[in-house]
């Protein structure tokens, strides 16, 4: 439960609710109520073709300049001849607001505002003039409406006026006596005409009293209770078609919801939401700090023990993912779905050189696999849109997407060569296709997505070039995301992160094609290309090199927020403590050099890095740095600053990494448990191989748990505590391939009890 003793005074104090498509920020006032509204397809502009027809002719000269060390000249040519048209992409925009006004003849008292993460319902309760007023608001996924219930403990006490407004150009109307409407079109930007039409409807169903609607204003007088329904529809059908019937869509949702009583709407909402949310339960203990308002807890976290806030923040990340990403919706963008502006920071797009990927790190590990589906839908779109960019700009087959995309699936490099000349955005997203299979064992989903994976690989088979200095195959031109290797210059060839991503992309393709019996000849070509990628290098300072040359010591920003070359440590498994100790030590050195400073999302990634380094204390320290008023808003939104939701999602994934890791081919239990969280339990985390685990620990030592095998794969378990394994009350034969590791066969849909038996073993 998030709770506050006062209404929100600004957007970052309001409480977010959503169903994947619809979002609202609820302010909870007593004289007025403000619901700031979003719908996930309200984007500026419309379909466009960004591929630059001048690019292909310029590509050989760009590459020549890069290999000749003329990086600034290469960057200049990219800026003039290789960026997409337009050079920017389109932004996610607000729908507007519903404002409500209440009679305010006296001061409000006994105020409490809450967001219940278990039910996804926000509520406001207060007393005024001897009457207790209560409002509950939620966004229903099954019924696709925002629902507000207004009640009072005195009959006839519920009265208010309501109207829509928006920074968009809109018109207001009253379609019938209990409904108001707002119609508008998202804006023209980047020279592309705004084509997404939207309609918002609000309808009041009163019990007692009267309802009147006129000229776009809704008046409720003297009701005992009111159910207010808000529906939003847009004309966006897909990235190529913004011509759908938005009026019919919104009317269908509102009319269907209007036919149900509030109790049924609430019941359907809670059941649908809890089916996802209640899969994972986590408990780190509780202190008196848990009784304080949420914003006060954040302000005190660095100095007052509050393990419950860690659990709350973890579950809040899961709540936000459920609320901003559901099958059939757009993926969660830089702000999830919550945005009050027409020109939000970084356009609230999909920044795919880290931020979109980070949004979905919690999806598999915290048992929200369905919430990952919008990414795979977007990849299917990008594989079509990006094929045009691959052909026009590179003369290549397959498909490519650079460092950003939007609702119109822009795939060309944008913003400027310094940031945009990064070819592996689509490749990174595509690694999730094999990763999804590792968690789910869903062969049908793998087969369905295989053409997307194949196309991503084809592009690089066609575009990797031989570095004349080393003979390796490299991406060129490229950048290590947003970081300069010399002043004002980022363009280079074969940066470390590109090579790491391509190894994962190629490995996933080889395994998937073998499993599916597809593309044997291409599989051999991919193996050969993988073998020619540059290896990771340890630099003169003992650090992992970010670039092919050892520029790290003289790079302009020694503590740059992006630590892209540690992709191999996390989320990948190319750098591990036991299989690659030299690279593991170099990764640790890199993190020490970069320091603990950073933006919200950068701190979140470092939480995961230090968890993979099995240093729970350092990882926890970074969460402490994140949970401060400078980095966490009163409503627990992560602050870059300004607000970016990836820090919330990255931190949630990092907490899961403290408790369970499965990237190295084994289930490592409590690999990075922070000393500050010495006692606790967790239920429902997922691991690669098709396993679900519950764990319980005391005084830093694992007491036991349960492993549920979904796919019947062999289990390889690493634990600092000696364990015995039973199933159906009988011992299970285990092998011990090394100290601290046990191995046993499993049957699908079978539960295995893990029980501590004696003293700890060497880690």
């Amino acid at each position: 439960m998030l709770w506050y003793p006062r209404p929100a005074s600004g957007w970052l104090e309001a409480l977010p609710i959503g169903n994947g498509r619809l979002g609202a920020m609820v302010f909870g006032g007593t004289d007025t109520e403000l619901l700031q509204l979003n719908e996930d397809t309200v984007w500026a502009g419309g379909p466009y073709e960004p591929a630059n027809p001048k690019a292909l002719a310029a590509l050989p000269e760009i590459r020549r300049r890069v290999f000749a060390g003329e990086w600034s000249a290469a960057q200049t040519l990219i800026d003039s001849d290789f960026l997409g048209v337009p050079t920017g992409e389109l932004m996610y925009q607000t729908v507007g607001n519903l404002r409500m006004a209440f009679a305010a003849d006296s001061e409000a008292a006994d105020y409490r505002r809450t967001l219940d993460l278990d039910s996804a319902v926000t509520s406001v309760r207060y007393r005024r003039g001897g009457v207790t007023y209560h409002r509950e608001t939620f966004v229903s996924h099954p019924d696709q409406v925002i629902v507000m219930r207004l009640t009072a403990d005195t009959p006839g006490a519920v009265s208010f006026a309501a109207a829509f407004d928006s920074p968009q150009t809109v018109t207001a109307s009253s379609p019938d006596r209990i409904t108001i409407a707002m119609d508008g079109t998202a804006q023209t930007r980047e020279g592309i005409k705004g084509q997404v039409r939207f309609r918002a409807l609000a309808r009041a169903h009163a019990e007692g009293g009267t309802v009147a609607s006129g000229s776009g204003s809704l008046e409720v007088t003297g009701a005992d209770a009111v159910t207010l329904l808000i529906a939003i529809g847009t004309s966006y059908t897909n990235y190529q078609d913004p011509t759908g019937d938005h009026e019919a869509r919104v009317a269908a949702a509102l009319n269907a919801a209007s036919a149900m009583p509030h109790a049924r709407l609430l019941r359907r909402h809670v059941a649908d939401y809890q089916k996802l949310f209640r899969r994972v339960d986590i408990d780190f203990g509780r202190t008196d700090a848990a009784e304080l308002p949420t914003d006060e807890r954040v302000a005190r976290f660095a100095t007052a023990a509050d393990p419950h806030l860690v659990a709350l923040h973890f579950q809040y990340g899961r709540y936000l993912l459920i609320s901003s990403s559901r099958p059939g919706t757009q993926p969660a963008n830089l702000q999830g779905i919550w945005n009050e502006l027409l020109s939000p920071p970084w356009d609230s797009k999909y920044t795919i050189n880290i931020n979109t990927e980070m949004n979905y790190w919690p999806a598999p590990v915290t048992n929200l696999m369905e919430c990952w589906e919008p990414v795979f839908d977007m990849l299917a779109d990008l594989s079509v849109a990006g094929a045009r960019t691959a052909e026009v700009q590179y003369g290549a087959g397959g498909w490519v997407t650079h460092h950003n995309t939007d609702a119109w699936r822009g795939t060309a490099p944008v913003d400027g060569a310094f940031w945009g000349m990064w070819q592996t955005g689509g490749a990174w997203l595509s690694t999730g296709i094999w990763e999804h299979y590792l968690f789910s064992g869903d062969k049908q989903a793998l087969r369905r997505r295989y053409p997307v994976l194949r196309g991503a690989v084809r592009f690089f088979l066609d575009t990797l070039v031989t570095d004349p200095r080393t003979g390796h195959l490299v991406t060129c031109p490229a950048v290590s995301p947003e970081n300069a290797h010399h002043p004002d210059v980022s363009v280079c060839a074969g940066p470390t992160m590109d090579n790491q991503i391509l190894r994962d992309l190629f490995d996933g393709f080889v395994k998937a094609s073998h499993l599916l019996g597809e593309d044997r000849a291409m599989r051999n070509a991919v193996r050969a290309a993988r073998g020619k990628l540059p290896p990771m290098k340890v630099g003169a300072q003992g650090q992992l090199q970010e670039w092919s040359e050892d520029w790290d010591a003289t790079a302009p920003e020694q503590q740059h927020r992006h630590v892209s070359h540690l992709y191999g440590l996390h989320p990948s498994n190319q750098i591990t403590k036991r299989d690659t100790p030299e690279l593991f030590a170099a990764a640790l050195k890199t993190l020490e050099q970069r320091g603990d400073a950073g933006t919200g999302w950068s701190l979140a990634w470092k939480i995961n890095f230090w968890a993979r380094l099995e240093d729970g204390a350092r990882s926890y320290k970074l969460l402490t740095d994140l949970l401060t008023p400078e980095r966490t808003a009163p409503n627990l939104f992560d602050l870059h600053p300004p607000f970016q939701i990836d820090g919330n999602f990255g931190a949630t994934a990092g907490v899961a990494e403290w408790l369970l890791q499965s990237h190295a081919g084994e289930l490592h239990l409590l690999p990075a448990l922070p000393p500050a969280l010495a006692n606790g339990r967790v239920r429902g985390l997922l691991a690669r191989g098709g396993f679900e685990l519950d764990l319980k620990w005391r005084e830093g030592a694992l007491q036991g748990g349960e492993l549920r095998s979904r796919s019947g794969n062999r289990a390889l378990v690493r634990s600092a505590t000696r364990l015995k394994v039973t199933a159906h009350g009988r011992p299970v034969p285990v092998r011990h391939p090394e100290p601290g590791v046990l191995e046993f066969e499993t049957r699908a849909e079978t539960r295995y009890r893990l029980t501590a038996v004696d003293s700890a073993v060497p880690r």
Side-chain angles (χ1 to χ4, degrees):
M1 184 83 73
L2 284 68
W3 81 272
Y4 307 84
R6 65 191 70 85
S9 61
W11 194 82
L12 288 172
E13 294 182 11
L15 293 172
I17 53 176
N19 69 354
R21 183 181 70 87
L22 297 173
M25 298 292 288
V26 184
F27 282 65
T30 56
D31 297 351
T32 62
E33 174 62 285
L34 170 59
L35 271 65
Q36 185 269 311
L37 304 171
N38 287 105
E39 201 277 353
D40 72 348
T41 61
V42 177
W43 288 69
Y48 66 100
E49 172 47 64
N52 188 337
K54 298 192 298 182
L56 186 58
L59 185 58
E61 175 60 13
I62 293 169
R63 286 172 169 163
R64 187 202 67 77
R65 294 180 185 185
V66 171
F67 287 130
E70 301 170 13
W71 309 296
S72 184
Q75 201 160 285
T76 298
L77 185 53
I78 293 166
D79 281 333
S80 65
D81 285 18
F82 205 82
L83 293 183
V85 183
T87 57
E89 290 178 340
L90 282 302
M91 60 283 298
Y92 178 58
Q93 297 191 314
T94 183
V95 168
N97 310 295
L98 181 73
R99 297 182 190 270
M100 305 170 67
F102 305 97
D105 52 2
S106 61
E107 290 295 316
D110 300 329
Y111 181 94
R112 185 178 176 93
R113 177 169 61 103
T114 67
L115 172 60
D116 185 342
L117 300 186
D118 187 55
S119 64
V121 175
T122 184
S123 70
V124 175
R125 187 182 297 273
Y126 59 92
R127 288 184 60 79
R128 169 176 278 150
V131 179
T132 297
Y133 295 92
H134 186 214
R135 297 197 300 273
E136 285 190 342
T137 313
F138 60 88
V139 189
S140 169
H141 179 258
D143 295 308
Q144 291 297 308
V145 289
I146 301 168
V147 182
M148 178 183 286
R149 178 71 170 174
L150 301 96
T151 59
D153 65 357
T154 300
V158 179
S159 299
F160 63 87
F164 288 113
D165 66 76
S166 178
Q168 306 270 17
T169 300
V170 296
T171 58
S173 62
S174 292
D176 60 50
R177 65 177 183 81
I178 61 170
T179 307
I180 54 174
M182 179 174 69
D183 292 276
T185 303
Q187 292 190 323
T188 296
R189 294 293 182 91
E190 298 289 342
I192 300 169
K193 182 181 178 181
Q195 296 178 50
V196 177
R197 294 167 294 151
F198 60 85
R199 167 169 267 211
L201 297 174
R203 178 174 294 170
H205 294 280
E207 298 165 27
T210 61
V211 180
S213 175
S215 303
S217 180
L218 192 65
E219 299 276 350
V220 175
T221 305
D224 301 333
V226 177
T227 298
L228 184 67
L229 303 178
I230 305 163
I232 306 170
T234 83
S235 63
Y236 182 101
T237 299
N238 57 54
Y239 78 100
Q240 297 170 311
D241 179 10
T243 65
D245 189 342
H246 60 297
E247 294 183 4
R249 290 169 177 172
V250 68
L254 186 64
N255 291 336
S258 294
M260 285 182 257
H262 171 264
R264 187 179 179 200
L265 290 167
L266 178 61
R267 188 165 58 248
R268 284 164 55 84
H269 157 71
V270 171
D272 171 82
Y273 170 78
Q274 289 183 344
K275 181 180 177 182
L276 295 170
F277 185 78
R278 285 190 170 182
R279 288 174 182 170
V280 171
D281 185 41
I282 196 164
D283 183 4
F284 293 128
R286 191 180 184 95
T287 65
D288 290 343
E291 304 305 318
L292 296 172
T294 303
D295 53 343
E296 293 183 33
R297 296 172 69 181
V298 172
R300 292 163 46 105
F301 185 70
T303 57
D306 191 358
H308 183 265
L309 183 60
V310 180
L312 182 70
H313 190 256
F314 170 89
Q315 291 286 39
Y316 186 61
R318 297 183 67 246
Y319 165 83
L320 292 175
L321 187 56
I322 297 168
S323 301
S324 62
S325 186
R326 292 288 200 104
T329 73
Q330 297 295 304
N333 60 49
L334 276 176
Q335 295 187 189
I337 52 173
W338 300 281
N339 165 40
E340 65 175 334
L341 303 173
L342 297 181
S343 295
W346 303 283
D347 299 333
S348 196
K349 299 192 299 287
Y350 303 105
T351 301
I352 57 176
N353 65 11
I354 173 60
N355 311 97
T356 302
E357 289 85 356
M358 183 179 286
N359 283 1
Y360 287 89
W361 288 348
V365 294
T366 74
N367 216 331
L368 297 175
M369 295 286 283
E370 296 93 330
C371 295
W372 207 356
E373 291 298 316
V375 173
F376 299 113
D377 291 342
M378 182 170 73
L379 275 170
D381 293 346
L382 292 172
S383 70
V384 177
R388 174 73 176 163
T389 302
E391 178 185 10
V392 172
Q393 299 207 201
Y394 294 90
W399 64 275
V400 64
T401 304
H402 294 78
H403 92 297
N404 264 287
T405 191
D406 55 21
W408 311 111
R409 307 312 187 229
T411 55
V414 294
D415 297 340
F418 186 96
W419 307 273
M421 195 56 258
W422 191 64
Q423 303 172 30
T424 44
W428 188 353
L429 287 175
S430 296
T431 63
I433 293 173
W434 180 250
E435 187 81 346
H436 184 279
Y437 176 76
L438 291 179
F439 277 94
S440 69
D442 188 341
K443 192 173 179 179
Q444 289 185 337
L446 179 64
R447 186 176 297 279
R448 188 168 63 250
R449 296 164 183 156
Y450 176 77
V452 173
L453 180 61
R454 186 185 192 279
V457 170
R458 170 51 60 192
F459 172 80
F460 290 100
L461 289 182
D462 289 355
T463 58
L464 289 172
V465 293
T466 300
D467 187 329
R469 302 161 298 179
T470 65
H472 290 122
L473 287 178
V474 295
T475 51
C476 182
V479 300
S480 189
E482 304 188 31
N483 198 8
H485 50 80
H486 289 82
D488 301 317
V489 175
S490 66
V491 171
C492 62
T496 296
M497 187 192 209
D498 277 11
N499 305 323
Q500 294 169 334
I501 289 173
L502 291 184
R503 275 191 284 273
D504 279 352
L505 180 73
F506 288 172
D507 288 348
F509 171 80
V510 167
K511 293 171 183 175
S513 65
H514 178 77
L515 180 67
L516 300 174
E518 300 280 353
D519 294 311
R520 181 174 181 179
M522 185 175 173
R523 196 186 318 153
N524 292 333
V526 170
R527 287 196 185 103
R530 187 201 188 283
K532 294 179 182 179
L533 295 172
M536 288 178 275
K537 299 178 183 178
V538 178
Q541 301 171 296
Q543 89 288 2
L544 189 73
Q545 287 184 199
E546 184 163 359
W547 296 277
S548 60
E549 298 182 52
D550 195 355
W551 293 325
D552 299 63
T554 56
E557 290 190 60
Q558 290 294 301
Q559 294 191 328
H560 196 270
R561 62 193 178 279
H562 285 260
V563 196
S564 302
H565 50 310
L566 294 195
Y567 166 96
L569 175 67
H570 180 277
S572 185
N573 63 353
Q574 296 173 44
I575 301 172
T576 65
K577 182 175 183 178
R578 294 160 189 87
D579 291 339
T580 60
E582 182 182 8
L583 295 175
F584 189 84
L588 191 152
K589 181 69 173 179
T590 293
L591 279 178
E592 290 177 338
Q593 290 176 332
R594 286 291 171 95
D596 290 348
T599 59
W601 66 261
S602 180
L603 288 174
W605 201 356
K606 290 175 182 178
I607 291 169
N608 286 271
F609 284 147
W610 283 105
R612 287 282 175 94
L613 291 172
E614 300 180 19
D615 189 336
R618 186 69 171 265
S619 186
Y620 184 85
K621 186 263 183 188
L622 287 160
L623 181 67
T624 302
D625 293 346
L626 187 68
L627 283 174
T628 65
E630 293 73 30
R631 285 284 179 259
T632 297
N635 64 2
L636 295 189
F637 272 167
D638 170 72
L639 299 177
H640 183 283
F643 165 49
Q644 273 189 208
I645 205 166
D646 37 35
N648 290 102
F649 294 138
T652 290
V655 170
E657 290 283 334
W658 295 345
L659 309 178
L660 174 64
Q661 295 178 14
S662 62
H663 61 287
E666 61 186 23
L667 308 178
H668 194 170
L669 312 184
L670 304 185
L673 182 67
L677 304 175
N679 302 303
R681 59 177 177 81
V682 67
R683 173 181 56 79
L685 297 181
L686 297 190
R688 296 163 185 85
F691 300 107
E692 182 174 346
L693 284 102
D694 307 341
L695 302 172
K696 186 176 182 180
W697 60 95
R698 185 173 179 80
E699 296 180 358
L702 182 67
Q703 288 187 307
E706 182 176 275
L707 180 150
R708 292 178 289 284
S709 178
R710 295 182 170 185
S711 303
N713 290 322
R714 176 180 55 88
L716 189 67
V717 178
R718 181 179 296 275
S719 171
T721 300
R722 296 185 192 276
L723 300 170
K724 67 177 181 180
V725 183
T726 57
H728 306 296
R730 295 187 294 273
V732 173
V734 300
R735 298 176 291 279
H736 295 278
E738 61 178 276
V741 177
L742 59 88
E743 183 179 29
F744 58 97
E745 303 300 324
T746 75
R747 292 175 179 263
E749 306 303 328
T750 301
R751 297 169 179 262
Y752 296 85
R753 175 65 59 186
L754 310 176
T755 307
V757 291
D758 53 28
S759 60
V761 297
R763 293 180 67 126

